[in-house]
Amino acid sequence: MASTANPTRADFEAMLNEQLGGAGEDGFEGRVVKGTVTAIENGFAIIDVGLKSEGRIDLKEFSRGEDEHGLAVGSEVEVFVDRVENADGEAMLSRDRARREAAWDKLESEFGEGKRVEGRIFGRVKGGFTVDLDGAVAFLPGSQVDIRPVRDVTPLMEVPQPFMVLKMDRRRGNIVVSRRAVLEETRAEQRSELIDKLAEGQVIDGVVKNITDYGAFVDLGGIDGLLHVTDMSYKRVNHPSEVIEIGQTVTVQIVRINEETQRISLGMKQLESDPWDGVAAKYPVGAKLSGVVTNITEYGAFVELEAGIEGLVHVSEMSWTKKNVHPGKIVSTSQEVDVLVLEVDSDKRRISLGLKQAQGNPWEEFAAKNPVGTKVTGEVKNATEFGLFIGLDGDVDGMVHMSDIAWGLSGEDALALHRKGEQVEAVVLDVDIDKERISLGMKQLEKGAPSEASAGGGSLKRNDVVTVTVLEVRDGGLEVQVGDDGATGFIKRADLGRDRDEQRPDRFQVGQKLDAMVIGFDRSKKPNFSVKARQIAEEKEAVAQFGSSDSGASLGDILGEALKAKKD
């Protein structure tokens, strides 16, 4: 072994390996080592790291994070050894790589501990920005720049600021950071501090930041609270913009604080006197009031009696006569109406109002003006299978049952005599105010209507033969009357004679007189007549008195004898 006074190359290699941990010169590569600046020339710093040759580093690599003018011969710096020796025999060194490796070590430690890191946004790339984390380059996605979208990032460029490392992969050299996470964390801390200072019931001033359809967000000095539209005023508010505007300073009361979600509910109307206090005494049941229609729904209309006090007029309480009609066809928004208080529920803050009750009951008014027996005129509004509905004064309808339309006709035949839109006359038979019904009769106005003395059990009896006068010729038969002022009845077509030729109504004329037999009475005790029945009865009587055709006498001879006897 050579002496230490004259070390050999092998001795030098052994000492070098001892210094570098036994790795030899090749152990330098890929490591960060300390070097000494031996010279600064032509924009380069000459660094000696203890290898065969020195290396040079561009002074620009010292400009990021440290001033190259602070370098001097003899300065000690950390550099990264890319290669021990290049083609020119120089060591390839990098200050950037050294800083980057140091930064990665630091970032890995801080990332593991969940700490924030400081960096500077220095460039823009697709989908986001590049951030310098003291030598390590990280990616900042556009969605992670701020809590709200940022249109101009220029004020944030090249400004040292904190970031949160979301993901890092040293092998791939990939780091993802977020500025938004830092802001949210800071805001959450501030919110917690502010919420600790706030209490329910506290009155505080705030600035309106945003307005939505359902309310407004108010800045309470670093924390937002929601002022719901229903808490803005006791009166109806269709949209928050009717009460407040963005940028306006408002005085609000803290209604509720949710400690779990850190949401704050605010109110303005709570600072006003409650108009519902003493409302039952102010609006007693039965009181007639005036109000303005504020809202119309399918089930009714809301009427404002005063600021903050609204009552509901249910659709069933809107009109006496208009049933199953949309409220919008009876009243309109902003219309002033008279209403009657029907019910007050102070606990539920509800007032039931009646619109029709504030007006006169048309059924009562009709009954007062038109007692039973009064003659009225109206238009046929509708025809049903059981009668006619007649429109009367006061926008009410009366009904004529089919049995009260005409004497001597079936209900179906009587209904066929009238059509919708026709003007008719009738007499009032009954008025039921509670059931809102008016019963009318039309046949009661006909001339010769049967009276109690003459109809049914009166002077006319079944099988009586009387002389009648033709009042009207119809396709179904004849309307006839007994005497000048006797009962009126009907002779059906089939009862006009025994032979088919005799059963034609058109062979009779109004005013013509003829003999007919009473064959019965209808439900209204009106008589029904038959010429055919009279002929058959007379024939039977003649045969019984003057012989039969079986004895050899002809029917003509028998009837001739009967007529002669009758004449005598």
Side-chain angles (χ1 to χ4, degrees):
M1 182 176 179
S3 63
T4 57
N6 297 300
T8 64
R9 184 181 183 87
D11 293 334
F12 179 78
E13 182 178 358
M15 289 187 291
L16 184 62
N17 288 340
E18 184 179 352
Q19 180 182 355
L20 299 177
E25 286 190 352
D26 291 340
F28 270 82
E29 292 187 0
R31 294 181 57 185
V32 177
V33 298
K34 287 185 178 181
T36 303
V37 179
T38 59
I40 298 176
E41 55 185 28
N42 300 325
F44 288 90
I46 309 303
I47 310 293
D48 180 15
V49 293
L51 295 175
K52 295 178 183 179
S53 58
E54 298 171 333
R56 57 173 65 201
I57 299 177
D58 195 325
L59 290 178
K60 292 181 180 178
E61 293 193 29
F62 294 93
S63 63
R64 289 189 286 269
E66 54 191 330
D67 188 2
E68 70 273 17
H69 299 295
L71 291 176
V73 176
S75 297
E76 193 175 77
V77 293
E78 289 186 343
V79 294
F80 182 84
V81 181
D82 283 333
R83 290 180 61 184
V84 172
E85 188 177 4
N86 63 7
D88 297 329
E90 295 179 345
M92 296 184 65
L93 309 176
S94 172
R95 174 59 182 159
D96 280 345
R97 288 288 301 274
R99 292 176 59 248
R100 191 177 304 125
E101 290 297 321
W104 271 96
D105 291 339
K106 181 182 178 183
L107 287 173
E108 285 181 338
S109 174
E110 292 174 336
F111 177 59
E113 296 176 4
K115 293 182 178 180
R116 301 175 184 177
V117 297
E118 189 173 280
R120 293 177 296 108
I121 302 174
F122 69 90
R124 186 188 296 269
V125 295
K126 183 178 180 180
F129 305 88
T130 52
V131 180
D132 179 14
L133 302 177
D134 195 20
V137 179
F139 173 65
L140 173 63
S143 61
Q144 297 297 319
V145 175
D146 205 326
I147 297 174
R148 295 182 177 87
V150 178
R151 295 184 178 180
D152 185 12
V153 190
T154 303
L156 302 177
M157 301 287 284
E158 299 295 343
V159 177
Q161 52 193 311
F163 295 89
M164 187 72 74
V165 178
L166 301 180
K167 181 176 66 174
M168 63 184 304
D169 187 340
R170 187 162 188 166
R171 185 173 60 85
R172 296 182 179 181
N174 183 22
I175 304 175
V176 180
V177 296
S178 170
R179 179 174 176 269
R180 174 178 178 173
V182 175
L183 297 177
E184 289 178 343
E185 188 177 272
T186 303
R187 189 175 69 167
E189 294 173 357
Q190 294 174 347
R191 286 176 64 93
S192 298
E193 293 177 0
L194 287 171
I195 288 178
D196 291 339
K197 298 178 182 179
L198 300 177
E200 293 184 0
Q202 181 180 347
V203 178
I204 188 172
D205 290 338
V207 179
V208 179
K209 291 181 59 177
N210 188 27
I211 294 178
T212 66
D213 291 338
Y214 55 85
F217 289 94
V218 180
D219 183 3
L220 303 177
I223 186 171
D224 292 347
L226 174 62
L227 176 60
H228 198 270
V229 63
T230 57
D231 288 315
M232 290 184 175
S233 176
Y234 283 108
K235 69 178 184 179
R236 179 181 293 273
V237 178
N238 295 317
H239 194 273
S241 58
E242 298 176 2
V243 181
I244 58 177
E245 59 184 17
I246 295 177
Q248 179 182 349
T249 300
V250 293
T251 301
V252 294
Q253 185 182 68
I254 298 176
V255 178
R256 184 171 57 258
I257 298 177
N258 190 322
E259 295 181 356
E260 295 181 359
T261 60
Q262 292 190 335
R263 292 180 179 176
I264 301 175
S265 299
L266 306 174
M268 288 176 60
K269 72 179 184 181
Q270 287 77 3
L271 301 176
E272 305 172 0
S273 58
D274 191 349
W276 283 88
D277 292 340
V279 71
K282 189 184 298 184
Y283 302 110
V285 175
K288 185 176 181 181
L289 310 166
S290 294
V292 178
V293 178
T294 57
N295 191 28
I296 297 175
T297 65
E298 292 184 356
Y299 54 84
F302 289 91
V303 178
E304 185 180 57
L305 303 177
E306 65 171 85
I309 300 293
E310 284 186 346
L312 173 65
V313 180
H314 193 267
V315 63
S316 61
E317 308 294 346
M318 302 200 78
S319 175
W320 291 106
T321 57
K322 296 178 181 178
K323 309 294 184 181
N324 301 321
V325 176
H326 190 279
K329 295 184 178 180
I330 300 176
V331 295
S332 58
T333 305
S334 301
Q335 178 183 348
E336 186 172 348
V337 294
D338 292 331
V339 292
L340 203 71
V341 179
L342 303 180
E343 183 182 359
V344 178
D345 190 333
S346 300
D347 296 334
K348 295 183 179 179
R349 293 174 176 260
R350 294 178 181 174
I351 298 180
S352 298
L353 303 174
L355 184 65
K356 68 181 184 181
Q357 288 82 354
Q359 305 166 0
N361 187 333
W363 312 100
E364 294 179 353
E365 294 176 356
F366 182 87
K369 295 180 181 179
N370 303 279
V372 174
T374 303
K375 181 180 177 181
V376 294
T377 303
E379 178 183 333
V380 178
K381 292 291 188 66
N382 191 23
T384 66
E385 59 183 7
F386 52 83
L388 303 174
F389 284 93
I390 312 299
L392 304 172
D393 293 338
D395 202 22
V396 296
D397 291 343
M399 192 195 77
V400 181
H401 193 271
M402 60 181 183
S403 62
D404 289 315
I405 296 177
W407 295 107
L409 292 179
S410 64
E412 292 78 7
D413 292 338
L415 286 171
L417 297 176
H418 302 281
R419 63 184 184 278
K420 186 177 180 179
E422 178 184 356
Q423 289 288 332
V424 296
E425 292 182 343
V427 63
V428 178
L429 301 181
D430 182 52
V431 179
D432 191 329
I433 297 175
D434 294 334
K435 294 182 179 180
E436 298 181 352
R437 293 177 182 174
I438 299 175
S439 298
L440 304 175
M442 294 170 60
K443 70 181 184 181
Q444 287 78 1
L445 296 176
E446 292 182 9
K447 183 179 180 180
S451 61
E452 295 181 359
S454 61
S459 60
L460 288 181
K461 299 180 182 62
R462 186 184 293 273
N463 297 327
D464 283 355
V465 176
V466 296
T467 301
V468 296
T469 304
V470 178
L471 297 178
E472 184 180 357
V473 179
R474 303 175 184 171
D475 292 338
L478 304 178
E479 181 78 20
V480 297
Q481 181 179 17
V482 179
D484 295 332
D485 57 356
T488 59
F490 195 76
I491 305 177
K492 294 183 178 179
R493 184 187 187 103
D495 290 319
L496 291 177
R498 295 182 62 179
D499 298 333
R500 185 175 295 274
D501 291 341
E502 296 176 341
Q503 295 175 356
R504 292 183 294 106
D506 57 2
R507 71 187 186 89
F508 297 91
Q509 296 180 351
V510 176
Q512 181 177 346
K513 295 183 182 295
L514 65 152
D515 293 335
M517 177 181 287
V518 178
I519 58 175
F521 301 87
D522 60 16
R523 290 185 304 175
S524 59
K525 299 181 180 180
K526 189 173 181 178
N528 294 321
F529 300 99
S530 174
V531 176
K532 177 180 178 181
R534 176 189 62 79
Q535 292 174 341
I536 294 174
E538 288 180 349
E539 179 180 326
K540 290 181 179 180
E541 183 180 356
V543 170
Q545 292 183 7
F546 300 100
S548 71
S549 55
D550 294 337
S551 62
S554 66
L555 183 59
D557 295 337
I558 296 173
L559 293 178
E561 290 295 329
L563 290 174
K564 181 178 179 182
K566 184 177 181 180
K567 183 178 180 180
D568 294 340

mmCIF file of all heavy atoms in Angstrom, residues 142-160:
data_model
loop_
_atom_site.group_PDB
_atom_site.id
_atom_site.type_symbol
_atom_site.label_atom_id
_atom_site.label_comp_id
_atom_site.label_asym_id
_atom_site.label_seq_id
_atom_site.Cartn_x
_atom_site.Cartn_y
_atom_site.Cartn_z
ATOM 1 N N GLY A 142 -58.661 26.109 -13.429
ATOM 2 C CA GLY A 142 -59.444 27.349 -13.453
ATOM 3 C C GLY A 142 -60.551 27.371 -12.416
ATOM 4 O O GLY A 142 -60.889 28.426 -11.868
ATOM 5 N N SER A 143 -61.124 26.206 -12.100
ATOM 6 C CA SER A 143 -62.217 26.148 -11.124
ATOM 7 C C SER A 143 -61.731 26.298 -9.699
ATOM 8 O O SER A 143 -62.541 26.449 -8.776
ATOM 9 C CB SER A 143 -62.958 24.818 -11.270
ATOM 10 O OG SER A 143 -62.089 23.728 -11.011
ATOM 11 N N GLN A 144 -60.394 26.239 -9.488
ATOM 12 C CA GLN A 144 -59.841 26.316 -8.149
ATOM 13 C C GLN A 144 -59.184 27.656 -7.851
ATOM 14 O O GLN A 144 -58.489 27.795 -6.851
ATOM 15 C CB GLN A 144 -58.815 25.191 -7.943
ATOM 16 C CG GLN A 144 -59.386 23.793 -8.033
ATOM 17 C CD GLN A 144 -60.412 23.534 -6.955
ATOM 18 O OE1 GLN A 144 -60.240 23.940 -5.807
ATOM 19 N NE2 GLN A 144 -61.489 22.841 -7.317
ATOM 20 N N VAL A 145 -59.416 28.649 -8.735
ATOM 21 C CA VAL A 145 -58.796 29.957 -8.537
ATOM 22 C C VAL A 145 -59.494 30.721 -7.424
ATOM 23 O O VAL A 145 -58.849 31.327 -6.559
ATOM 24 C CB VAL A 145 -58.811 30.775 -9.849
ATOM 25 C CG1 VAL A 145 -58.267 32.179 -9.608
ATOM 26 C CG2 VAL A 145 -57.998 30.068 -10.921
ATOM 27 N N ASP A 146 -60.843 30.708 -7.449
ATOM 28 C CA ASP A 146 -61.591 31.486 -6.465
ATOM 29 C C ASP A 146 -62.905 30.784 -6.170
ATOM 30 O O ASP A 146 -63.290 29.828 -6.857
ATOM 31 C CB ASP A 146 -61.853 32.903 -6.996
ATOM 32 C CG ASP A 146 -62.066 33.916 -5.876
ATOM 33 O OD1 ASP A 146 -62.631 33.526 -4.845
ATOM 34 O OD2 ASP A 146 -61.665 35.077 -6.032
ATOM 35 N N ILE A 147 -63.588 31.266 -5.129
ATOM 36 C CA ILE A 147 -64.890 30.690 -4.770
ATOM 37 C C ILE A 147 -65.906 30.957 -5.861
ATOM 38 O O ILE A 147 -66.721 30.104 -6.199
ATOM 39 C CB ILE A 147 -65.366 31.273 -3.425
ATOM 40 C CG1 ILE A 147 -64.387 30.872 -2.314
ATOM 41 C CG2 ILE A 147 -66.772 30.801 -3.093
ATOM 42 C CD1 ILE A 147 -64.676 31.507 -0.982
ATOM 43 N N ARG A 148 -65.847 32.153 -6.440
ATOM 44 C CA ARG A 148 -66.725 32.526 -7.541
ATOM 45 C C ARG A 148 -65.900 32.656 -8.808
ATOM 46 O O ARG A 148 -64.691 32.915 -8.734
ATOM 47 C CB ARG A 148 -67.449 33.849 -7.236
ATOM 48 C CG ARG A 148 -68.402 33.757 -6.053
ATOM 49 C CD ARG A 148 -69.125 35.081 -5.837
ATOM 50 N NE ARG A 148 -70.095 34.982 -4.746
ATOM 51 C CZ ARG A 148 -69.811 35.184 -3.475
ATOM 52 N NH1 ARG A 148 -68.566 35.505 -3.127
ATOM 53 N NH2 ARG A 148 -70.740 35.073 -2.547
ATOM 54 N N PRO A 149 -66.512 32.493 -9.977
ATOM 55 C CA PRO A 149 -65.756 32.618 -11.229
ATOM 56 C C PRO A 149 -65.057 33.977 -11.327
ATOM 57 O O PRO A 149 -65.632 35.016 -10.999
ATOM 58 C CB PRO A 149 -66.845 32.469 -12.302
ATOM 59 C CG PRO A 149 -67.933 31.690 -11.634
ATOM 60 C CD PRO A 149 -67.924 32.121 -10.199
ATOM 61 N N VAL A 150 -63.781 33.947 -11.770
ATOM 62 C CA VAL A 150 -62.975 35.167 -11.901
ATOM 63 C C VAL A 150 -62.757 35.442 -13.376
ATOM 64 O O VAL A 150 -62.244 34.589 -14.111
ATOM 65 C CB VAL A 150 -61.623 35.009 -11.180
ATOM 66 C CG1 VAL A 150 -60.777 36.272 -11.356
ATOM 67 C CG2 VAL A 150 -61.834 34.716 -9.706
ATOM 68 N N ARG A 151 -63.180 36.622 -13.817
ATOM 69 C CA ARG A 151 -63.012 36.979 -15.231
ATOM 70 C C ARG A 151 -61.589 37.426 -15.547
ATOM 71 O O ARG A 151 -61.042 37.112 -16.591
ATOM 72 C CB ARG A 151 -64.000 38.092 -15.599
ATOM 73 C CG ARG A 151 -65.460 37.662 -15.520
ATOM 74 C CD ARG A 151 -66.382 38.778 -15.985
ATOM 75 N NE ARG A 151 -67.788 38.372 -15.951
ATOM 76 C CZ ARG A 151 -68.795 39.151 -16.305
ATOM 77 N NH1 ARG A 151 -68.557 40.402 -16.715
ATOM 78 N NH2 ARG A 151 -70.029 38.695 -16.249
ATOM 79 N N ASP A 152 -60.972 38.175 -14.631
ATOM 80 C CA ASP A 152 -59.632 38.711 -14.875
ATOM 81 C C ASP A 152 -58.701 38.244 -13.753
ATOM 82 O O ASP A 152 -58.876 38.602 -12.587
ATOM 83 C CB ASP A 152 -59.677 40.241 -14.923
ATOM 84 C CG ASP A 152 -58.342 40.846 -15.300
ATOM 85 O OD1 ASP A 152 -57.448 40.073 -15.737
ATOM 86 O OD2 ASP A 152 -58.174 42.078 -15.158
ATOM 87 N N VAL A 153 -57.681 37.447 -14.124
ATOM 88 C CA VAL A 153 -56.751 36.897 -13.144
ATOM 89 C C VAL A 153 -55.480 37.751 -13.045
ATOM 90 O O VAL A 153 -54.609 37.459 -12.226
ATOM 91 C CB VAL A 153 -56.402 35.440 -13.510
ATOM 92 C CG1 VAL A 153 -55.639 34.745 -12.394
ATOM 93 C CG2 VAL A 153 -57.649 34.647 -13.817
ATOM 94 N N THR A 154 -55.382 38.774 -13.852
ATOM 95 C CA THR A 154 -54.167 39.601 -13.884
ATOM 96 C C THR A 154 -53.751 40.105 -12.505
ATOM 97 O O THR A 154 -52.566 40.040 -12.152
ATOM 98 C CB THR A 154 -54.364 40.788 -14.841
ATOM 99 O OG1 THR A 154 -54.712 40.289 -16.138
ATOM 100 C CG2 THR A 154 -53.094 41.618 -14.943
ATOM 101 N N PRO A 155 -54.698 40.610 -11.678
ATOM 102 C CA PRO A 155 -54.273 41.094 -10.350
ATOM 103 C C PRO A 155 -53.664 40.006 -9.463
ATOM 104 O O PRO A 155 -52.991 40.322 -8.473
ATOM 105 C CB PRO A 155 -55.575 41.631 -9.738
ATOM 106 C CG PRO A 155 -56.450 41.936 -10.908
ATOM 107 C CD PRO A 155 -56.118 40.893 -11.919
ATOM 108 N N LEU A 156 -53.912 38.744 -9.798
ATOM 109 C CA LEU A 156 -53.390 37.646 -8.980
ATOM 110 C C LEU A 156 -52.045 37.129 -9.468
ATOM 111 O O LEU A 156 -51.399 36.316 -8.771
ATOM 112 C CB LEU A 156 -54.399 36.480 -8.957
ATOM 113 C CG LEU A 156 -55.807 36.788 -8.440
ATOM 114 C CD1 LEU A 156 -56.697 35.550 -8.563
ATOM 115 C CD2 LEU A 156 -55.756 37.250 -6.990
ATOM 116 N N MET A 157 -51.609 37.558 -10.652
ATOM 117 C CA MET A 157 -50.357 37.051 -11.231
ATOM 118 C C MET A 157 -49.154 37.613 -10.486
ATOM 119 O O MET A 157 -49.129 38.781 -10.077
ATOM 120 C CB MET A 157 -50.270 37.430 -12.710
ATOM 121 C CG MET A 157 -51.421 36.905 -13.563
ATOM 122 S SD MET A 157 -51.349 35.145 -13.856
ATOM 123 C CE MET A 157 -50.060 35.080 -15.084
ATOM 124 N N GLU A 158 -48.113 36.737 -10.302
ATOM 125 C CA GLU A 158 -46.828 37.113 -9.691
ATOM 126 C C GLU A 158 -46.982 37.682 -8.278
ATOM 127 O O GLU A 158 -46.143 38.442 -7.808
ATOM 128 C CB GLU A 158 -46.093 38.123 -10.589
ATOM 129 C CG GLU A 158 -45.757 37.600 -11.976
ATOM 130 C CD GLU A 158 -44.764 36.438 -11.946
ATOM 131 O OE1 GLU A 158 -44.099 36.247 -10.908
ATOM 132 O OE2 GLU A 158 -44.658 35.723 -12.962
ATOM 133 N N VAL A 159 -48.070 37.311 -7.608
ATOM 134 C CA VAL A 159 -48.292 37.766 -6.236
ATOM 135 C C VAL A 159 -48.145 36.571 -5.298
ATOM 136 O O VAL A 159 -48.853 35.575 -5.458
ATOM 137 C CB VAL A 159 -49.687 38.400 -6.070
ATOM 138 C CG1 VAL A 159 -49.915 38.802 -4.623
ATOM 139 C CG2 VAL A 159 -49.843 39.592 -6.987
ATOM 140 N N PRO A 160 -47.213 36.631 -4.354
ATOM 141 C CA PRO A 160 -47.081 35.511 -3.410
ATOM 142 C C PRO A 160 -48.377 35.334 -2.610
ATOM 143 O O PRO A 160 -48.907 36.293 -2.046
ATOM 144 C CB PRO A 160 -45.923 35.948 -2.503
ATOM 145 C CG PRO A 160 -45.164 36.943 -3.309
ATOM 146 C CD PRO A 160 -46.184 37.672 -4.135
#
